[in-house]
Amino acid sequence: MSAPVFLTGDPALRTARRVVLDGAEGRHAVTVRRIAVGEEVVLTDGQGLSVRGTVAVVEGKDTLYVDVAERAEEPPPTPRIVVVQALPKGDRGELAVETMTEVGVDVIVPWAASRCITQWKGGRGAKSLAKWRATAREAGKQARRVHLPDVTELMTTRQVTGLLGGAAFAGVLHEEAAEPLATAELPGDGDLVLVVGPEGGVSPEEITAFTTAGAAPYRLGPTVLRTSTAGVSAASVLLARCGRWS
């Protein structure tokens, strides 16, 4: 069984021979996972640095000390996969974030598309964004990622257009597109940015803005996917084709 992964911001992670895990992550390790002395764990800062070690001491209900056996620093993956995700209804947004994190998406951009039924405004928007970020964090640990995805602030269509303009590759998923994503020519580095529209689809005005910015429309296959599953499916195609999964 693989060693469980926990997040820590302790600066000692980089150099110390013994590292402390406390706070919410320590509480989860001690009281939920019931990690005991002698068990192996992996601690990471979520930005590529990780240590593998053995629990030496468990203290109270939220603190454990790990003796470091191995330390590694993984460079950021390239090319970087960025998915612009229109806001789905209900909890399907968390589903989209969870599955995209599991397969390896690097940046998830919440997008307030014109046809989104869900709206992030005020306190509700802040709470929803916090849920997406918490979902990415937990899914990243489950997937044993040492580079956790960045879930950005909510973007408008204008902001997304600017993001597409600076991408090495930019595409918009559209069921009526002629070219399949599986045959798109991909660069070897830079940002590969995909836009996933809402259940009602990307509006003609948005398509025009995105194509003007350099994003071509692509289709995935003969079926139409829901917005919460289209992103992970498209990202999987890119990850396989760009060499990240080779």
Side-chain angles (χ1 to χ4, degrees):
M1 183 176 178
S2 299
V5 176
F6 298 98
L7 287 168
T8 177
D10 188 351
L13 190 68
R14 184 167 294 278
T15 57
R17 297 177 64 181
R18 176 171 285 188
V19 181
V20 181
L21 182 68
D22 55 12
E25 286 287 280
R27 187 175 304 109
H28 181 74
V30 175
T31 64
V32 179
R33 297 296 300 268
R34 299 187 182 278
I35 301 296
V37 171
E39 291 191 56
E40 189 177 61
V41 296
V42 174
L43 307 182
T44 178
D45 64 356
Q47 299 178 45
L49 178 64
S50 66
V51 301
R52 180 181 295 273
T54 302
V55 176
V57 178
V58 175
E59 191 176 87
K61 296 182 178 180
D62 62 358
T63 304
L64 50 80
Y65 296 82
V66 178
D67 285 343
V68 176
E70 179 183 350
R71 181 175 280 109
E73 189 151 14
E74 184 178 299
T78 185
R80 198 168 69 149
I81 308 297
V82 181
V83 176
V84 177
Q85 174 66 60
L87 304 180
K89 295 181 291 185
D91 60 359
R92 298 192 72 85
E94 285 91 78
L95 172 64
V97 171
E98 179 180 52
T99 54
M100 287 192 288
T101 299
E102 288 174 356
V103 299
V105 170
D106 303 295
V107 182
I108 300 170
V109 180
W111 170 39
S114 63
R115 293 178 176 175
C116 283
I117 295 174
T118 298
Q119 300 291 322
W120 283 7
K121 294 181 179 179
R124 178 181 178 181
K127 184 177 180 181
S128 297
L129 179 59
K131 283 184 177 180
W132 279 36
R133 287 175 169 166
T135 299
R137 183 172 61 250
E138 294 306 313
K141 288 160 53 182
Q142 180 66 37
R144 303 183 60 75
R145 291 183 59 170
V146 296
H147 280 284
L148 296 186
D150 176 24
V151 180
T152 74
E153 296 287 335
L154 180 70
M155 287 195 183
T156 64
T157 297
R158 178 176 292 182
Q159 290 171 316
V160 171
T161 300
L163 181 68
L164 295 171
F169 168 86
V172 182
L173 296 184
H174 199 285
E175 66 272 16
E176 296 180 0
E179 185 175 354
L181 184 63
T183 61
E185 185 175 345
L186 302 178
D189 56 16
D191 285 355
L192 313 185
V193 184
L194 278 174
V195 177
V196 179
E199 299 292 358
V202 182
S203 72
E205 294 79 13
E206 289 164 340
I207 285 287
T208 298
F210 294 160
T211 54
T212 300
Y218 295 97
R219 58 180 171 81
L220 279 173
T223 60
V224 177
L225 303 181
R226 298 194 69 167
T227 185
S228 53
T229 53
V232 65
S233 300
S236 298
V237 172
L238 295 184
L239 286 160
R241 294 199 56 240
C242 75
R244 291 265 301 266
W245 279 4
S246 61

